[in-house]
Amino acid sequence: TCIRQLKFSTTACVCELQNILSPQPSCVNLGMMWTWAPWLFPLLCKFSLAALPAKPENISCVYYYRKNLTCTWSPGEETSYTQYTVRRTYAYGQKHDNCTTSSSTSENRASCSFFLPRITNPDNCTIEVEAQNADGVITSDMTYWHLEGIAKTEPPEIFSVRPVWGIKRMIQIEWIKPELAPVSSNLKYTLQFRTVSSTSWMEVNFTKNRRDTDQTYNLTGLQAFTEYVIALRCAVEGSKFWSDWSHEKMGTTEEEAPFGLELWRVLKPAEADGRRPVQLLWKKPRGAPVLEKTLGYNIWYFPENNTNITETMNATNQPLELHLGGESYWVSMISYNSLGKSPVATLRIPAIQEKSFQCIEVMQACLAEDQLVVKWQSCALDVNTWMIEWFPDMDSEPPILSWESVSQAKNWTIQQDKLKPFWCYNISVYPMLHDKVGEPYSIQAYAKEGVPSEGPETKVENIGVKTVTITWKEIPKRQRKGIICNYTVFYQAEGGKGFSKTVNSSILQYSLEALQRKTSYTVQVMASTSAGGTNGTSINFKTLSFSVFEIFLITTLIAGGLLLLIILTAAYGLKKPNKLAHLCWPSVPNPAESSIATWHGDDFKAKLNLKESDDPVNTENWILKPCSTPSDKLVIDKLVVNFGAFLQEISTDQAKTSQENNLGGGKNENRILSSCPTSM
């Protein structure tokens, strides 16, 4: 700040310094003034950086009767160590004293107390707060206080909360007056109360005279046989400060004669002997107060057409199961306690073969804020009473049935916190016309929906070349957490793009088409509610290379071709049997008939010792007999030795014929040679 001021107002600062240091002002010698500037910078900055403490505001004082006078204030933002001093004048301005906080960093630095015996009541006093730090002192505005107007007492102590015998729906509260309460002042009280099951308090205000020794209050207009929670506080009349609330105390109002009951029934299938079990239920009407402690119930029932046959029984708990005949019955009930009996409640049980009427056309359930609302439409204008049943739809546990009647309305509401979240409830509405009960209309609803805890169990069936069928099972009811609105099938080829198909909740299978041949796929199914969806397990499959039809077609063509070939071969054989026999079994030349024997005379033919045969086709004639005589061996050796010379003697004219005969003869000769032993 000093540097900025000197930068922009150099001439003014220099003139001001010259007026101080010299009686003759001169604003010309700037060089001399800049010589003094470094010495004056700290002095100027010290004045500009000085920060006084914030002014204390919002001063408030409380007189804790016969204990102390405590004052508090808002200290403001502090930049350095600050000490606060509370200055007080009392005894109607005749005396004064001070109270100083111990440290500016303590928790109670904005509070200070004055103690006995320097406190007198009644009295008027003034309070002001002084804040001081290293840079200076600042004082708050003066405040004025009348001690009786700021007096605060200890809370009263509730001694008892009990009913008064013979007085209905009332409890009497008795307490002990605060010990340190002003004797010269009246006390005003606030009594708050609520039922044990409620969280909403109600209040009653009253005043007790200082001379009144009866510290009791009668709280009336309560519910019979109901437990209440009571709390009490007090204040000096004329003071703006209330005491703290006393410790809570509980008490119960007196009971009365039982209230009327509502009856309902659950009809079960008839047994083999023709009798039908009927489960009897009862409760107090909705909103009816609990007036008593019920000791038991009296029940009697009789056939509708014969009132002389009446059966009576007692019960203490419900449900109660009655075994009635096939005709219609009337059932009556009363509850009783030590003070009396309730009015009679009656219910008609229809006959087994009796047909009930239908009038509900449509019904729906929806959520509205924190309530579940069920609405329906009826075609019967004279029906104005309905019975609503609801119970959780569980797979294993037996249902716990709840029920309630509705009159003069076609809707029913229930708080969401009275139903379990993520549970499916079966809700049925029965129309009631006089003493007859109509056919119910039922729906399923959730008080709160969530994402399914698990996905569907998926299987793959009917795998083909380009098609496959995906099937899945319904999620168990406990894991659904909502109404399943649709299923989504996700599938993807290996290394390819993913696809999805969505179907409604009634479909549990889907056929995928236009797949690739001989390709691996991954598939999974997602079940969705209004809150979201959950995927099931992922499974893999591979499409076929050939379909069953293609395999059948190829097999049929091959088999047909073979069959046609066999037929043609058989036909050809029938038409030309010798040709077919020649093709299947070709003739083998006889070595004995070879022309090689004629080339060297009849002796060579005789020495071969070959067996003649009439059948040229007989293969046994093709087998040569082994040579056994030494002379035959010599002939063969001679034949082999002279074979080369024999070839040279063949004339040129007979070359072709000799070559063909020679090949045939060569084969036969080889056979001859291979069949003869080489040993001597």
Side-chain angles (χ1 to χ4, degrees):
T1 304
C2 298
I3 295 173
R4 189 179 295 111
Q5 290 176 353
L6 290 174
K7 181 177 180 181
F8 295 102
S9 304
T10 305
T11 305
C13 289
V14 170
C15 293
E16 188 69 27
L17 292 173
Q18 286 180 349
N19 291 334
I20 298 173
L21 299 176
S22 177
Q24 297 178 354
S26 176
C27 296
V28 181
N29 193 356
L30 297 178
M32 184 176 181
M33 292 301 99
W34 281 113
T35 303
W36 286 96
W39 299 95
L40 295 175
F41 281 163
L43 181 61
L44 294 174
C45 290
K46 180 177 180 180
F47 287 129
S48 62
L49 294 177
L52 294 176
K55 181 180 179 180
E57 296 179 348
N58 301 325
I59 300 175
S60 176
C61 296
V62 180
Y63 172 41
Y64 295 96
Y65 189 73
R66 294 187 181 180
K67 286 188 176 181
N68 61 67
L69 174 65
T70 300
C71 296
T72 59
W73 59 90
S74 300
E77 185 178 357
E78 300 174 357
T79 58
S80 61
Y81 176 86
T82 304
Q83 178 175 289
Y84 295 93
T85 301
V86 181
R87 304 187 183 278
R88 179 180 70 125
T89 62
Y90 64 102
Y92 297 99
Q94 301 298 320
K95 299 179 181 180
H96 60 84
D97 57 359
N98 299 331
C99 175
T100 304
T101 57
S102 57
S103 173
S104 66
T105 59
S106 64
E107 295 182 358
N108 297 325
R109 60 190 175 87
S111 174
C112 201
S113 300
F114 299 90
F115 297 93
L116 296 175
R118 295 182 298 171
I119 303 175
T120 59
N121 185 45
D123 193 4
N124 293 330
C125 62
T126 61
I127 299 291
E128 62 179 355
V129 181
E130 181 183 276
Q132 181 179 3
N133 62 8
D135 296 323
V137 178
I138 192 168
T139 304
S140 69
D141 296 333
M142 182 77 69
T143 59
Y144 301 88
W145 305 95
H146 180 60
L147 293 189
E148 287 189 353
I150 58 174
K152 183 176 181 179
T153 66
E154 294 292 326
E157 180 184 354
I158 298 178
F159 181 72
S160 67
V161 178
R162 57 185 178 82
V164 178
W165 182 258
I167 302 179
K168 308 298 183 183
R169 306 189 181 193
M170 188 191 79
I171 54 176
Q172 187 179 77
I173 300 96
E174 185 177 0
W175 67 92
I176 301 175
K177 185 179 178 181
E179 183 178 356
L180 300 179
V183 179
S184 60
S185 300
N186 298 331
L187 293 181
K188 55 184 179 181
Y189 291 87
T190 297
L191 187 148
Q192 67 176 7
F193 61 97
R194 63 176 176 85
T195 60
V196 174
S197 59
S198 175
T199 58
S200 179
W201 291 94
M202 293 175 285
E203 293 185 352
V204 175
N205 296 313
F206 58 94
T207 302
K208 284 289 185 179
N209 191 278
R210 64 180 182 272
R211 298 185 182 90
D212 192 355
T213 58
D214 182 19
Q215 303 297 315
T216 60
Y217 184 81
N218 294 328
L219 185 60
T220 59
L222 306 178
Q223 299 178 14
F225 199 65
T226 304
E227 188 174 19
Y228 285 87
V229 181
I230 306 296
L232 190 66
R233 69 177 181 177
C234 66
V236 176
E237 191 175 28
S239 175
K240 63 179 181 179
F241 293 110
W242 287 87
S243 70
D244 297 331
W245 287 103
S246 66
H247 293 295
E248 295 178 355
K249 196 85 170 180
M250 290 187 293
T252 305
T253 55
E254 196 175 54
E255 66 175 333
E256 297 180 4
F259 202 80
L261 298 175
E262 283 187 349
L263 296 181
W264 187 238
R265 81 291 186 276
V266 177
L267 304 179
K268 297 184 178 181
E271 298 176 345
D273 59 356
R275 300 179 66 83
R276 178 176 58 180
V278 176
Q279 191 179 65
L280 189 64
L281 306 172
W282 61 88
K283 68 176 183 178
K284 294 183 179 299
R286 185 179 187 181
V290 179
L291 305 179
E292 79 289 341
K293 180 180 180 181
T294 302
L295 300 179
Y297 303 91
N298 291 330
I299 303 102
W300 62 94
Y301 54 94
F302 52 87
E304 187 175 22
N305 298 327
N306 190 357
T307 59
N308 296 326
I309 305 175
T310 302
E311 296 187 31
T312 305
M313 60 188 308
N314 294 327
T316 56
N317 297 309
Q318 61 173 322
L320 176 66
E321 189 167 284
L322 305 177
H323 291 268
L324 307 179
E327 65 271 22
S328 57
Y329 274 77
W330 280 100
V331 179
S332 302
M333 173 183 285
I334 63 170
S335 62
Y336 60 90
N337 66 355
S338 59
L339 299 177
K341 298 179 181 180
S342 69
V344 178
T346 59
L347 178 68
R348 182 181 180 273
I349 307 299
I352 295 178
Q353 303 300 330
E354 183 177 330
K355 293 184 179 180
S356 56
F357 64 94
Q358 295 182 352
C359 66
I360 300 179
E361 298 176 338
V362 65
M363 187 167 67
Q364 64 178 0
C366 60
L367 296 176
E369 297 180 355
D370 58 345
Q371 292 181 333
L372 175 65
V373 181
V374 179
K375 300 179 180 179
W376 60 89
Q377 295 180 3
S378 173
C379 60
L381 300 178
D382 53 347
V383 177
N384 55 15
T385 303
W386 317 85
M387 187 65 72
I388 292 87
E389 270 186 3
W390 70 95
F391 59 89
D393 187 7
M394 308 303 296
D395 291 325
S396 57
E397 299 179 2
I400 300 176
L401 181 67
S402 301
W403 53 280
E404 188 173 82
S405 63
V406 174
S407 298
Q408 307 299 327
K410 294 180 182 178
N411 61 77
W412 172 74
T413 60
I414 185 173
Q415 295 292 328
Q416 284 184 339
D417 55 6
K418 293 184 178 180
L419 303 175
K420 292 187 177 181
F422 315 130
W423 279 33
C424 179
Y425 282 86
N426 291 324
I427 303 176
S428 301
V429 177
Y430 293 79
M432 301 182 68
L433 181 61
H434 305 302
D435 56 358
K436 294 184 179 181
V437 179
E439 192 73 20
Y441 195 106
S442 301
I443 60 172
Q444 290 187 329
Y446 285 81
K448 182 180 180 181
E449 294 195 31
V451 178
S453 57
E454 64 179 33
E457 181 181 348
T458 310
K459 292 183 179 180
V460 176
E461 298 178 354
N462 304 327
I463 301 177
V465 176
K466 294 185 177 182
T467 61
V468 69
T469 300
I470 309 299
T471 62
W472 57 91
K473 295 181 180 179
E474 284 187 313
I475 303 174
K477 294 177 182 178
R478 277 188 174 273
Q479 280 75 40
R480 293 178 192 175
K481 296 185 176 180
I483 297 177
I484 303 299
C485 53
N486 59 62
Y487 295 98
T488 304
V489 182
F490 297 95
Y491 63 100
Q492 181 179 6
E494 185 176 5
K497 182 181 178 181
F499 299 92
S500 64
K501 300 291 183 180
T502 301
V503 296
N504 59 48
S505 59
S506 63
I507 298 176
L508 297 178
Q509 68 175 19
Y510 188 81
S511 296
L512 301 180
E513 299 178 351
L515 303 180
Q516 299 179 8
R517 184 188 299 264
K518 198 180 179 180
T519 304
S520 296
Y521 281 86
T522 301
V523 64
Q524 61 182 354
V525 179
M526 179 180 71
S528 301
T529 65
S530 61
T534 301
N535 290 327
T537 55
S538 177
I539 58 175
N540 299 318
F541 68 92
K542 188 175 183 180
T543 53
L544 301 178
S545 301
F546 299 97
S547 65
V548 176
F549 175 75
E550 291 174 342
I551 295 174
F552 177 76
L553 181 62
I554 294 173
T555 305
T556 302
L557 291 176
I558 294 175
L562 292 176
L563 181 60
L564 181 62
L565 180 62
I566 293 171
I567 293 173
L568 293 176
T569 304
Y572 183 78
L574 293 175
K575 186 176 182 180
K576 296 181 178 181
N578 294 332
K579 190 69 175 179
L580 180 63
H582 180 73
L583 291 175
C584 295
W585 302 281
S587 60
V588 178
N590 189 351
E593 298 179 355
S594 175
S595 62
I596 194 172
T598 61
W599 295 343
H600 289 273
D602 296 335
D603 294 338
F604 179 77
K605 181 178 180 181
K607 292 179 181 180
L608 289 177
N609 194 23
L610 299 175
K611 182 179 179 179
E612 297 291 334
S613 176
D614 296 336
D615 187 6
V617 184
N618 190 355
T619 58
E620 294 181 357
N621 296 330
W622 299 350
I623 303 175
L624 301 179
K625 300 296 182 178
C627 300
S628 58
T629 59
S631 60
D632 293 336
K633 294 179 181 179
L634 293 175
V635 173
I636 298 303
D637 293 340
K638 182 178 178 180
L639 178 63
V640 173
V641 172
N642 296 328
F643 187 75
F646 167 75
L647 294 175
Q648 295 178 358
E649 293 178 1
I650 298 174
S651 62
T652 304
D653 297 335
Q654 299 177 347
K656 294 182 180 181
T657 305
S658 300
Q659 186 176 2
E660 293 177 357
N661 295 332
N662 189 26
L663 290 174
K667 294 179 182 179
N668 295 333
E669 291 166 358
N670 289 336
R671 293 181 182 178
I672 296 172
L673 293 175
S674 61
S675 62
C676 297
T678 56
S679 59
M680 297 299 296

